Amino acid sequence: MQSLTIKGSRSSTQCCGAEPWGSPFSLLCRFSPAPVHFSSTLLTLFSLFSAVGCAVGPWGPWSSCSSPCGVGSKDRSRQVTVPPRHGGEPCPDLKQRRGCLGDDPACGAAKGVAKLLPDSFSPDIRDPWRRTGMQRSEEPPSSHLPISCSFFRLTQVAAACRGQPWSRRLQRDRQVCVECWGDTVHGHPRCDGYGVQGARTFWVATSIAGCQGSWVREALQEGCACPPPAFIFV
């Protein structure tokens, strides 16, 4: 076993066997036939090339549930404070994920299944006065607008939807606009199945067997009309 003498110091330190294999100290001790004398400059140089293991900070907070209603996931992460160098211990996992159940107060609306028809069935089309662009004198100017229009991103569409020209517009990843006319006279200002913002809900195309799927509502506007071609809630 060879000894390591630090220049300018009265003490000597045993180096062979004290350092991990592959470090500068152990290599020099292993192949040197005589005690090795190091200056402070060399010691500093060797320390720059020594193996350094990864160090990470504490875990951050969990994110909110990815689904406002039903099954979703939460994530959290942590940062690297000291990156590994020269073959040091690699970094552990920096991200974690776990399941969750969204419990948004509006989740009750996500249970309904929307029933769709093309906008050719809207009151604007059935009423000959509105269809020709004429307005009845006893109606206020805004009475011909739907209660709301919802914009959905289609996430799943059954193959049966290819059977009719109007239902072929229902294609996966496409955004569609659906008008809600409701029934304010009988106290039903909302439409069944209008969904919850950001939550996956379900729909069926009325009068087309097997035409169904899912979507996620991206926006909801009050008192507006959808640009054609559009759909309506039944």
Side-chain angles (χ1 to χ4, degrees):
M1 178 176 290
Q2 305 297 326
S3 64
L4 166 64
T5 303
I6 300 176
K7 199 171 187 179
S9 173
R10 296 179 180 177
S11 62
S12 129
T13 305
Q14 298 294 326
C15 69
C16 291
E19 292 290 331
W21 170 253
S23 70
F25 296 109
S26 66
L27 290 175
L28 284 174
C29 284
R30 191 177 188 86
F31 297 106
S32 175
V36 182
H37 301 275
F38 292 87
S39 67
S40 60
T41 303
L42 283 176
L43 289 173
T44 303
L45 183 62
F46 288 152
S47 66
L48 293 176
F49 291 95
S50 299
V52 177
C54 179
V56 296
W59 287 106
W62 287 101
S63 66
S64 57
C65 194
S66 61
S67 175
C69 302
V71 179
S73 62
K74 289 184 175 183
D75 300 279
R76 70 174 182 175
S77 61
R78 56 184 175 180
Q79 302 296 321
V80 174
T81 55
V82 179
R85 297 193 301 269
H86 312 304
E89 188 72 20
C91 294
D93 291 338
L94 301 178
K95 291 185 178 181
Q96 285 184 340
R97 176 173 292 180
R98 70 180 184 185
C100 61
L101 285 174
D103 56 354
D104 191 282
C107 286
K111 298 178 182 179
V113 178
K115 298 178 177 62
L116 303 181
L117 278 174
D119 59 355
S120 57
F121 286 85
S122 69
D124 267 349
I125 302 299
R126 292 200 304 267
D127 191 326
W129 289 84
R130 291 172 176 168
R131 185 167 58 244
T132 57
M134 302 177 65
Q135 183 177 315
R136 294 179 180 177
S137 58
E138 67 272 13
E139 292 180 335
S142 62
S143 63
H144 66 284
L145 289 175
I147 295 173
S148 64
C149 54
S150 301
F151 294 87
F152 294 89
R153 182 72 57 181
L154 295 164
T155 56
Q156 193 172 15
V157 180
C161 298
R162 303 170 190 159
Q164 295 292 332
W166 71 268
S167 61
R168 292 190 194 118
R169 304 200 302 262
L170 297 166
Q171 298 180 17
R172 186 176 179 179
D173 296 328
R174 175 177 289 185
Q175 187 187 67
V176 295
C177 183
V178 188
E179 296 176 348
C180 172
W181 289 86
D183 187 359
T184 55
V185 175
H186 296 90
H188 300 289
R190 291 290 183 185
C191 296
D192 292 337
Y194 68 94
V196 176
Q197 190 77 9
R200 178 171 174 260
T201 53
F202 301 91
W203 55 267
V204 296
T206 305
S207 76
I208 302 179
C211 181
Q212 58 192 7
S214 61
W215 56 17
V216 175
R217 197 180 77 192
E218 297 182 331
L220 172 67
Q221 298 180 18
E222 303 289 342
C224 72
C226 291
F231 302 90
I232 63 170
F233 289 109
V234 178

